[in-house]
Amino acid sequence: MGRLPMPFCEGHGEHGGASLDHKTFSCWQCGEGASPPKLVKQILGCSWAEAYRTVEQYSQLDTDRLFTQVPISERKSLVELPPLSAPLVGPGGGYIKSRGLDPGVLEAEYGVKEIGVLGDYRLRLIIPVYVDNTLVTFTTRRYVENSEPKYKAQPPEKAIIPIKHCLYNIDTVKDQAIIVEGPVDVWKLGIGSVALFGTSSTVEQQEMLVNRGVKRVFIMLDPGTEKPAEKLYFSLISLIREIKIVRLEGLDPGGMTQEEAINLKLQLL
């Protein structure tokens, strides 16, 4: 579609193109590619959250790939954690210790909180999700065994970016990343690991990796999830230079000791 200037390329002239079918931009000269949010972020010099909001507001693309269909005027400009969120000094902190983790570290580094027996998120850990150091949504994890779902996320219409459009811990990623399923896995592996909030990945999560300039990826999902891991592999293979599926035998990253998880990360990176 036409010839466009490409802000990522150091060359001069109009040697960029746009694909309306794939909703991407690319440069014919240097080979650089971009999704609509990446292009907006580069041109405006704004945050990822603002870039996604701008695409939703002005684009005529099928924006349900980028956000749920909530008018920009009705979308919250700020996300707040549930009002009963408290420090990790109660049973939530005890659960974290039982997983071999330090509540103080999780609260300081990830902003994790807990809620007691009251409210919509009772008996849960509150897990903030940040993109570009901006709180864009949150999810929760129960810390007691009951009939409720293990994870319960903020409703997408109340988020700046819905949970399945985010990668947990993405702000710590540079040119390589370890992809895991959930926040507990990230807490064990630390910097450079990101969570999908489940076994499946979305286009938006994949774009977030590509837009960060990630060149090397290790897919480390829980045992028994070979098909989702392979699906993610083939989705990324043409976009990221080096991808490897790490198959764990009988133990997921969240079930490892902190020492085991860090040693595994050092072997990979």
Side-chain angles (χ1 to χ4, degrees):
M1 173 186 170
R3 299 177 68 87
L4 308 168
M6 197 66 182
F8 303 97
C9 183
E10 296 181 357
H12 300 288
E14 297 179 345
H15 38 78
S19 169
L20 296 182
D21 291 333
H22 295 92
K23 303 177 179 64
T24 57
F25 300 85
S26 60
C27 176
W28 302 317
Q29 180 169 307
C30 69
E32 181 75 27
S35 64
K38 181 179 179 180
L39 192 66
V40 170
K41 183 178 185 295
Q42 177 74 11
I43 293 173
L44 299 183
C46 62
S47 68
W48 283 109
E50 183 63 28
Y52 273 88
R53 285 198 297 267
T54 301
V55 169
E56 181 188 33
Q57 183 176 8
Y58 294 106
S59 177
Q60 295 181 2
L61 301 177
D62 181 11
T63 52
D64 59 357
R65 282 187 56 239
L66 303 174
F67 281 104
T68 53
Q69 291 299 296
V70 178
I72 192 69
S73 60
E74 297 178 13
R75 187 175 297 280
K76 291 178 68 68
S77 59
L78 292 175
V79 169
E80 297 179 352
L81 298 182
L84 297 176
S85 301
L88 296 171
V89 295
Y95 167 80
I96 288 173
K97 289 180 181 178
S98 74
R99 299 298 300 265
L101 294 160
D102 185 332
V105 171
L106 262 60
E107 192 164 354
E109 295 187 1
Y110 298 97
V112 180
K113 303 289 185 182
E114 68 173 271
I115 288 183
V117 297
L118 300 176
D120 294 336
Y121 299 99
R122 60 186 177 275
L123 303 176
R124 290 180 174 275
L125 299 176
I126 307 301
I127 305 169
V129 179
Y130 293 90
V131 176
D132 287 337
N133 298 311
T134 299
L135 178 63
V136 296
T137 189
F138 65 84
T139 190
T140 68
R141 192 203 191 283
R142 69 174 191 234
Y143 55 76
V144 297
E145 291 300 325
N146 56 32
S147 60
E148 294 189 1
K150 181 184 293 186
Y151 288 97
K152 181 179 180 181
Q154 181 187 36
E157 66 272 12
K158 295 184 178 180
I160 294 177
I161 303 177
I163 195 76
K164 281 298 286 184
H165 293 190
C166 299
L167 288 169
Y168 184 64
N169 203 39
I170 186 64
D171 285 347
T172 70
V173 168
K174 294 184 179 179
D175 60 346
Q176 50 189 349
I178 300 174
I179 301 176
V180 294
E181 289 186 25
V184 177
D185 301 324
V186 166
W187 297 340
K188 289 294 180 75
L189 291 165
I191 293 172
S193 61
V194 296
L196 298 171
F197 303 106
T199 59
S200 64
S201 65
T202 63
V203 171
E204 292 77 16
Q205 290 174 323
Q206 296 164 20
E207 287 179 348
M208 191 168 281
L209 281 175
V210 174
N211 292 339
R212 293 274 165 158
V214 174
K215 297 178 174 61
R216 192 181 187 204
V217 164
F218 297 92
I219 301 172
M220 192 190 299
L221 305 185
D222 293 357
T225 56
E226 289 78 11
K227 288 186 177 180
E230 291 173 359
K231 183 176 181 180
L232 177 56
Y233 175 91
F234 286 111
S235 296
L236 293 174
I237 192 64
S238 64
L239 303 172
I240 293 177
R241 183 179 302 169
E242 183 180 349
I243 306 175
K244 181 179 180 180
I245 296 177
V246 180
R247 303 191 187 280
L248 302 174
E249 296 183 4
L251 195 64
D252 63 87
M256 298 178 180
T257 66
Q258 192 92 65
E259 183 178 2
E260 289 171 338
I262 295 301
N263 286 339
L264 176 59
K265 185 172 79 169
L266 291 175
Q267 291 174 22
L268 296 176
L269 304 182

